[in-house]
Amino acid sequence: MYKYIFLLLLSAFVSSCENFLTKETITDLPADGFPSNEKDAEGLITGMYDAIQDALETNYFYWGEYRSDAIERNRNNGDLNLFYNTLSPTHATSNWNSLYKIILSANVAIKYIPALNDGDEANKSSMLAEALTARAWMYFYAVRVWGRVPLITEPYENKEGQQLYYPRADLDLVYTQIENDLKQAVNLFGVTAPTSCYRISRGVASAILTDFYMWKKDYSNAILASDYFANTSTNPYAYANSDTWKQIFINPASSKENIFVLYWDYTSDGEQGIVKQIGGGQQSNAQVKISRTVWNKFVNRKEWDPRFALSLDTLHLYNGVGTLDENSYDMINDNMGIADDYCTKWLELDPLTGEYPKIVASDADYEIPFYRYSGIMLLRAEAYARRNEGNDLNEAISIINQIRQRFSTEHNLTGSETQTELIDIIDEERLLELWCEGTRWFDLARRGDLKEVMDQVFINERGIPEGFGDEQYILWPIHQSAFSANPELVGDQNPGYVEG
């Protein structure tokens, strides 16, 4: 039975990650379903990347952005259950199966790759580190979305007496597993430079570890984990400036800002679902648009921050209302003829028209950054600001000024900012830098001010008098299918939700 389950999962894995296009995909593993040589292992890792595509293609946006203050419904489009925080155990985003598909594949790689007798040792070590990082990353997503989750670290091997059903584990146990996996991966990778932003590397493991420590409010360890990016002898990444910032999205492989990018090619991967969420160009049926919060912050910096025009079709918007200020937000949204207030990060400006072309989900190649150098450095700045020991505030200010100097040398911080002011400044920088990249909800949650921020959004923008509601609804419900498949979960739904 276990072998059958594993082979079913494995049969769904095919290669589409650009980094593997030149590699042979393994379709026939040994009869027991586990790798017996380096070639088998490479096929398993290839499949793991494809599973990551499937798991995060749109979920990264649902889980990390959709319910936040960064976006609003586009007219009558958008998922009402997400916008009004009325999630249910039948909602597709409540299903964790796609994450566990990756975890199960990683478990096989983690157990069997070290035992392989053939192949290049450095390559095997790198594949093991990739599997450890992927497993930790998926568990990190899982605990942020659902809280306690089943902790499975062994492959299904059809062994007599092997555990079949797992209850939700204590959160500290899952945290320990995430930390141990990432630290082991970092050691295995060493200081080897990444070969591609489409493949897990030392930078990816260190970025996730930094993010993880920030989630746990372990600021000293977050600083240590991010040392890799601050040390000029090891850091392979660099900030993009005004001229190159757009390359992060339209030509990710050329940008040293990118630590990990999810590759999506329409020809080989099919329709790109995220286009339906954030739109692009003149696609008027996008589900979401920029929120008033982000709009106002961009407008207030429009004279010196090019990310406004690089993230939205500001020329088209300006031509529609004649001005871009805080009042323009209502004017734009009252005018049904103006439909370009969506995220255009992934679109290349047409040099002839000065506008962004129309793009549709049925013909879209999106390459989605998940971790970027500037984002991790802002986490490092926040860790310094929150720890606030010795010279920490100056370290935070230095990083913020580096981020701003990409666009302007006239808007540096003065050094007179208080700790609270610095934390708020960093929050705004991350919001504008990483808008629509699946980070905002998690930032609000780990800061501990999610309900406070979202109360005002729900009251002022979404017309819900009681605001966000009970804080227990920060977590997603567990999908109803999990309870019928796993009796160990029965009676352990997240508070506030039913099991089916």
Side-chain angles (χ1 to χ4, degrees):
M1 177 178 181
Y2 296 104
K3 180 168 63 179
Y4 176 72
I5 294 172
F6 176 70
L7 289 173
L8 270 180
L9 291 173
L10 208 60
S11 68
F13 296 165
V14 294
S15 174
S16 61
C17 178
E18 183 181 69
N19 207 48
F20 286 113
L21 289 180
T22 59
K23 291 184 178 291
E24 180 182 358
T25 301
I26 305 303
T27 56
D28 296 311
L29 287 177
D32 59 6
F34 305 116
S36 61
N37 54 52
E38 185 179 10
K39 187 177 181 181
D40 290 348
E42 287 178 350
L44 183 61
I45 297 298
T46 298
M48 186 181 72
Y49 279 97
D50 190 70
I52 290 173
Q53 272 188 329
D54 292 340
L56 300 183
E57 173 207 351
T58 53
N59 279 333
Y60 89 93
F61 194 76
Y62 281 124
W63 295 334
E65 202 89 14
Y66 212 104
R67 292 196 292 165
S68 77
D69 63 335
I71 59 172
E72 276 298 327
R73 289 183 69 208
N74 173 37
R75 299 176 176 86
N76 295 320
N77 297 325
D79 191 311
L80 290 176
N81 290 316
L82 291 174
F83 274 111
Y84 295 136
N85 202 38
T86 54
L87 296 173
S88 75
T90 61
H91 200 283
T93 56
S94 298
N95 197 321
W96 59 34
N97 283 355
S98 60
L99 298 187
Y100 276 100
K101 182 182 291 186
I102 300 161
I103 290 168
L104 292 174
S105 179
N107 286 346
V108 174
I110 291 165
K111 179 166 184 177
Y112 283 92
I113 287 177
L116 298 179
N117 294 321
D118 75 319
D120 178 75
E121 291 302 320
N123 187 39
K124 289 190 294 183
S125 180
S126 178
M127 288 191 291
L128 176 58
E130 289 173 87
L132 286 162
T133 304
R135 181 169 73 179
W137 191 17
M138 295 308 107
Y139 273 125
F140 185 39
Y141 259 113
V143 295
R144 288 180 294 172
V145 175
W146 293 282
R148 295 181 299 109
V149 294
L151 180 60
I152 307 172
T153 58
E154 291 290 327
Y156 291 131
E157 298 180 280
N158 198 21
K159 295 188 299 187
E160 185 175 351
Q162 184 177 19
Q163 185 172 353
L164 176 59
Y165 303 115
Y166 290 79
R168 297 174 75 185
D170 183 83
L171 201 55
D172 286 339
L173 290 177
V174 186
Y175 281 158
T176 298
Q177 189 65 53
I178 293 170
E179 182 177 18
N180 289 343
D181 280 354
L182 291 172
K183 290 170 74 173
Q184 185 180 351
V186 165
N187 289 333
L188 286 168
F189 279 125
V191 294
T192 304
T195 58
S196 169
C197 64
Y198 304 110
R199 188 159 186 169
I200 293 171
S201 63
R202 163 66 188 273
V204 179
S206 295
I208 299 171
L209 189 58
T210 303
D211 201 4
F212 168 73
Y213 283 132
M214 290 300 292
W215 181 260
K216 289 191 66 185
K217 298 178 172 57
D218 186 347
Y219 304 121
S220 292
N221 271 324
I223 293 168
L224 288 174
S226 62
D227 278 348
Y228 173 76
F229 304 98
N231 188 332
T232 56
S233 67
T234 59
N235 174 47
Y237 305 101
Y239 293 117
N241 59 27
S242 297
D243 295 330
T244 61
W245 192 83
K246 193 75 173 181
Q247 297 300 311
I248 297 169
F249 309 96
I250 62 175
N251 189 12
S254 72
S255 176
K256 289 189 175 182
E257 270 261 4
N258 284 321
I259 300 173
F260 183 80
V261 176
L262 188 69
Y263 184 82
W264 193 276
D265 176 75
Y266 169 71
T267 302
S268 58
D269 300 317
E271 184 174 294
Q272 221 306 339
I274 194 59
V275 183
K276 297 177 182 177
Q277 312 304 323
I278 63 178
Q282 300 176 40
Q283 182 176 317
S284 59
N285 64 342
Q287 292 191 15
V288 303
K289 63 185 180 185
I290 190 171
S291 70
R292 188 186 302 272
T293 296
V294 181
W295 174 267
N296 289 347
K297 291 181 184 298
F298 268 139
V299 162
N300 290 336
R301 299 161 63 128
K302 66 180 180 180
E303 299 302 328
W304 65 274
D305 192 339
R307 288 174 298 186
F308 189 21
L310 294 172
S311 300
L312 294 166
D313 192 343
T314 53
L315 177 61
H316 188 83
L317 292 171
Y318 180 85
N319 288 338
V321 297
T323 182
L324 293 180
D325 56 25
E326 292 188 2
N327 294 326
S328 301
Y329 187 81
D330 289 322
M331 296 170 62
I332 289 167
N333 289 288
D334 288 342
N335 186 340
M336 295 300 289
I338 302 174
D340 285 17
D341 48 333
Y342 319 126
C343 182
T344 56
K345 280 184 173 181
W346 286 269
L347 302 182
E348 190 166 8
L349 198 68
D350 187 328
L352 297 178
T353 64
E355 297 185 12
Y356 293 106
K358 182 177 180 180
I359 189 169
V360 295
S362 60
D363 186 20
D365 297 338
Y366 265 41
E367 299 181 50
I368 305 166
F370 274 79
Y371 281 103
R372 299 206 272 120
Y373 179 55
S374 54
I376 293 302
M377 291 303 289
L378 283 169
L379 286 181
R380 181 177 173 87
E382 184 180 343
Y384 274 123
R386 289 187 179 277
R387 189 176 70 170
N388 192 16
E389 298 175 2
N391 196 45
D392 281 355
L393 295 188
N394 287 332
E395 292 284 355
I397 289 170
S398 175
I399 294 171
I400 297 167
N401 286 340
Q402 290 171 22
I403 298 289
R404 292 188 170 193
Q405 285 167 6
R406 297 181 299 165
F407 311 123
S408 171
T409 58
E410 299 177 1
H411 292 83
N412 288 342
L413 302 186
T414 64
S416 62
E417 293 80 9
T418 66
Q419 179 190 30
T420 300
E421 288 171 340
L422 278 178
I423 290 171
D424 288 342
I425 289 169
I426 293 167
D427 180 64
E428 179 172 302
E429 293 292 340
R430 277 185 60 83
L431 174 58
L432 299 183
E433 178 71 35
L434 304 174
W435 178 60
C436 275
E437 294 180 45
T439 63
R440 181 57 177 172
W441 176 268
F442 296 135
D443 276 354
L444 290 173
R446 67 174 176 76
R447 281 168 55 96
D449 56 8
L450 193 153
K451 187 179 186 303
E452 178 184 353
V453 169
M454 293 307 299
D455 267 347
Q456 296 307 308
V457 173
F458 272 78
I459 294 169
N460 297 333
E461 298 295 319
R462 301 183 187 177
I464 307 297
E466 62 271 23
F468 179 80
D470 197 316
E471 288 193 47
Q472 67 187 3
Y473 295 124
I474 291 174
L475 292 177
W476 247 254
I478 299 170
H479 198 271
Q480 64 178 12
S481 63
F483 297 98
S484 57
N486 183 359
E488 289 289 336
L489 296 177
V490 174
D492 199 10
Q493 173 66 282
N494 276 330
Y497 304 108
V498 298
E499 293 189 356

